[in-house]
Amino acid sequence: MRDLMGMMGKVKEMQEKMASLQEEVENIQLEGTSGGGMVTVRLNGKGIMLSLDIDPTMINPDEAEILEDLIVAAHNDAKGKVEAAVQEKTQELTAGLPIPPGMKLPF
């Protein structure tokens, strides 16, 4: 019975840590760039785009396709950085816990 109580305490502790991690993740803001800084995208930790900055010299109706590609590339760059940051924070939280490989936390 003590083991069960101890395990329940660990579960509660883990839930509190997960709630804290989710709040931290929401506050993460990272930028991705493309075109040598001509396009910059800022995402939060959940992958929601917060801002998009485009160098005015890139706004040319004849080159819309290039600009579209640069926006996608900047978004993907930012998303990769966010995913890496979230994974790092999750590993810090779950260090030493027997979690199966590939299990994604906190989402």
Side-chain angles (χ1 to χ4, degrees), residues 4-19:
L4 180 61
M5 294 304 286
M7 194 166 74
M8 293 302 287
K10 292 280 187 190
V11 168
K12 182 165 177 57
E13 181 183 329
M14 182 67 166
Q15 287 175 328
E16 291 170 359
K17 287 181 178 181
M18 289 302 293

Side-chain angles (χ1 to χ4, degrees), residues 49 71 90 92 94-95 97 101 105:
M49 188 183 301
I71 291 169
T90 302
E92 290 171 9
T94 60
L97 294 176
L105 295 174

Side-chain angles (χ1 to χ4, degrees), residues 45-102:
K46 290 195 170 190
I48 296 171
M49 188 183 301
L50 302 173
S51 68
L52 169 65
D53 295 317
I54 301 170
D55 187 296
T57 62
M58 292 300 301
I59 302 174
N60 179 347
D62 297 330
E63 297 178 358
E65 190 173 327
I66 294 170
L67 181 56
E68 291 166 357
D69 291 343
L70 290 173
I71 291 169
V72 170
H75 181 274
N76 290 340
D77 182 43
K79 187 173 181 191
K81 290 176 183 177
V82 165
E83 288 172 352
V86 169
Q87 182 178 7
E88 181 180 319
K89 290 196 175 294
T90 302
Q91 285 177 344
E92 290 171 9
L93 173 76
T94 60
L97 294 176
I99 295 177

